[in-house]
Structures are given as structure tokens and as C-alpha cells.
């Protein structure tokens, strides 16, 4: 969901900025926010609207609302509001494994990336964040699945960039082209 929202934002912002008339009528950032939200909702619905995708869409909505209101929430406030919204939407979500894994992973990534923002080396930062994520989610793996994945760290380090930057955008492009040329 996040990948779809990000690519929709970048693409719509890039295309909207190509027209001076459109930019005078409406700023490209506002259009990009709406398009990214629509892309996120579309992917959420296509994926079956599971808890992780709901959480991602709720956090995106909260982010857009806060930006439009001129209010910037701290990370823990945004996560707390998303948690409340998910639990209001589905009170029994707290019983789901995906709830704990989703919120746990997002919290660890956000905290680790916030801590690493001072570092100039993105590759080292990426490796550290994945290391923190792996260590922090080990107890969840043990608790929910009675085992620890020894390949998760290497899989995340290599597969997330591959999926995010190459495979997923090509799949979206293929899906769009199949709608146009079918």
C-alpha cells in the first residue's frame, strides 16, 4: 500500500508539474496527495483490505489531514491515532497476529529511521534499520509462530528494494497497460 501511494504521489506530482496552467489552478502537492490516497485505497481493496493495509491507509489519511491543517504530529501521536482508528474500525483487530506485526514493524522502522536521519550513508542506514527490525520482531516470531526466521534479515535487505523499486512498479505499469490495450 505504501509503495503504491508513493509511486502514485511521485508520478502524479511529476505529471501535474508539467503544466503551468494546472499548477496555477491547484498545487501539484495537493493533487499528488489525493492521487496517492486513491492509489492506496485501490491497492488496499485489491488486496482484501487486511489489517496492515487498513493501517497504512489510515496513517496516510492522518498524514494528509495533518498537512492540510498545517499541523505536524509527532510520530508517536500519529501511530497512536492510527491505532485508535483501527481499533474503532475493528475492535477485535488486537487479537490478530497481523495487527501486532504491522504496528510493531512500523514503529520499529519509524523509530530507527528517525534515529538514523543524521547519518550520511544510506546503505549503512538501510542495513541498521533492517537489523533493528529483525531483532525487534524476533519475539513476535517466537510468540506467534514458535520459531525465528533466520533468513528474514537477508530477504528484507535484498527483496524489499527489488520489489519496491523494480517489480512492483512494473506490475502496476503492466496492469495499467492491460486496461488500456485490452
Amino acid at each position: 500500500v505504501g509503495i503504491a501511494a508513493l509511486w502514485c504521489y511521485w508520478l502524479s506530482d511529476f505529471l501535474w508539474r508539467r503544466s503551468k496552467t494546472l499548477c496555477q489552478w491547484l498545487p501539484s502537492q495537493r493533487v499528488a496527495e489525493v492521487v496517492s490516497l486513491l492509489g492506496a485505497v485501490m491497492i488496499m481493496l485489491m488486496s482484501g483490505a487486511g489489517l496492515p493495509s487498513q493501517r497504512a491507509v489510515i496513517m496516510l489519511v492522518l498524514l494528509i489531514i495533518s498537512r492540510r491543517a498545517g499541523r505536524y504530529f509527532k510520530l508517536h501521536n500519529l501511530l497512536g491515532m492510527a491505532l485508535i482508528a483501527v481499533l474503532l474500525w475493528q475492535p477485535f483487530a488486537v487479537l490478530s497476529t497481523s495487527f501486532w506485526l504491522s504496528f510493531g514493524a512500523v514503529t520499529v522502522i519509524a523509530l530507527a529511521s528517525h534515529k538514523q536521519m543524521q547519518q550520511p550513508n544510506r546503505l549503512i542506514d538501510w542495513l541498521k534499520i533492517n537489523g533493528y527490525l529483525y531483532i525487534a520482531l524476533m519475539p513476535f516470531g517466537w510468540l506467534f509462530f514458535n520459531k525465528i526466521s533466520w533468513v528474514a534479515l537477508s530477504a528484507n535487505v535484498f527483496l524489499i528494494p527489488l520489489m519496491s523499486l523494480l517489480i512492483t512498479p512494473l506490475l502496476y505499469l503492466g496492469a495499467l497497460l492491460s486496461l488500456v490495450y485490452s
Side-chain angles (χ1 to χ4, degrees), residues 36 40 48 55 61 66 68 70 86 95 98 125 130 133 159 166:
S36 71
R55 184 232 354 113
V61 167
S66 69
R68 288 298 111 227
V86 167
L95 301 174
S98 66
D125 291 347
N130 275 284
L133 186 61
L159 294 178
L166 183 65

Side-chain angles (χ1 to χ4, degrees), residues 27 29 44 62 74 81 88 109 113 125 138 157-158 164 182:
Q29 294 89 354
M44 178 190 73
L62 291 171
K74 292 184 178 181
M81 287 187 290
L88 286 173
I109 291 169
S113 62
D125 291 347
M138 267 187 187
V157 167
F158 296 111
S164 301
S182 59

